Amino acid sequence: MEKYLVAGLGNIGAEYAHTRHNIGFRILDHLARRHGVGFHTDRLGATAEIQLKNKVLVLLKPSTYMNLSGLSVGEAARYQNLEPSDILIISDDVALPFGRIRMRKSGSAGGQNGLKSVIGALGTLDGPRLRIGVGSPNVKMDLADWVLAKIPQEQRREWGKIEDAAWEALNLWLTEGIDAAMTKANGFRLNAGE
């Protein structure tokens, strides 16, 4: 069976569970629930496996804090003998408004330190990534404080739609390729009128 790694970035520890920076972890939790699998902890982090047709998805929530995510992702990639094109990284993005997602084939970290760590560990800008918009503060506020703040209750109520859109993008990536996934994901709007 073909194997793929899907790494959701976030910070370990209960105090970070509902923060904007832990969007990657939340997406993986949704995927695991959707397929009735649980995570187990090993030295790389919390992992779970999902089988889709003839493919195996290894879900990874790194055992490091965000800024060192590459340590876990890089080791998992080497252990599984995967190419960067077989590794999807899911992270938060302050440059995207809440309710938007963006998929890319490759590119820079765009200021996201966890993604920067992963790029460094893999040694390439190539490799798909799915960014989940968390917006940016509309008042003068440090971005670190913004991403480490809890997701507001009104946004949590909309969260299921974003999780479903991320799942659809992931599924298209596996079945029809990155271009189809990008078209679908990049056209997603939480509120269709936007």
Side-chain angles (χ1 to χ4, degrees):
M1 280 194 197
E2 295 176 74
K3 191 170 270 194
Y4 296 86
L5 177 67
V6 180
L9 305 188
N11 281 310
I12 55 173
E15 67 270 29
Y16 298 109
H18 297 290
T19 64
R20 294 177 175 96
H21 228 16
N22 272 38
I23 296 281
F25 283 10
R26 288 185 61 116
I27 294 289
L28 293 193
D29 289 339
H30 173 75
L31 297 179
R33 277 192 311 273
R34 188 178 194 119
H35 291 274
V37 299
F39 283 90
H40 67 277
T41 303
D42 61 28
R43 61 188 172 76
L44 299 176
T47 60
E49 283 194 7
I50 296 173
Q51 291 190 9
L52 291 172
K53 299 180 182 166
N54 61 340
K55 297 174 173 73
V56 174
L57 292 184
V58 177
L59 308 181
L60 170 66
K61 296 190 286 185
S63 59
T64 61
Y65 287 103
M66 173 69 80
N67 294 356
L68 298 174
S69 298
L71 296 174
S72 290
V73 175
E75 191 171 338
R78 286 185 291 281
Y79 178 75
Q80 303 286 346
N81 198 28
L82 297 173
E83 295 297 320
S85 60
D86 300 327
I87 303 166
L88 176 67
I89 308 300
I90 303 174
S91 67
D92 62 290
D93 190 336
V94 296
L96 286 174
F98 176 78
R100 297 283 307 275
I101 64 176
R102 180 166 294 146
M103 192 162 211
R104 293 281 183 252
K105 293 179 187 179
S106 62
S108 73
Q112 215 284 1
N113 288 330
L115 194 50
K116 187 184 301 180
S117 175
V118 171
I119 289 169
L122 297 178
T124 181
L125 293 174
D126 294 333
R129 65 271 325 255
L130 180 62
R131 294 177 178 232
I132 311 297
V134 296
S136 57
N138 55 11
V139 295
K140 190 169 176 77
M141 179 182 192
D142 185 74
L143 276 183
D145 292 338
W146 174 259
V147 296
L148 293 175
K150 303 282 186 199
I151 298 168
Q153 196 62 40
E154 63 274 10
Q155 290 183 350
R156 287 190 212 179
R157 284 193 284 272
E158 302 285 354
W159 190 248
K161 297 173 191 171
I162 296 168
E163 290 171 334
D164 289 343
W167 164 245
E168 195 170 351
L170 172 67
N171 205 22
L172 280 169
W173 171 59
L174 293 170
T175 58
E176 297 182 31
I178 188 73
D179 291 324
M182 286 170 51
T183 298
K184 186 69 173 180
N186 300 349
F188 173 76
R189 305 288 186 279
L190 186 59
N191 300 309
E194 292 181 357

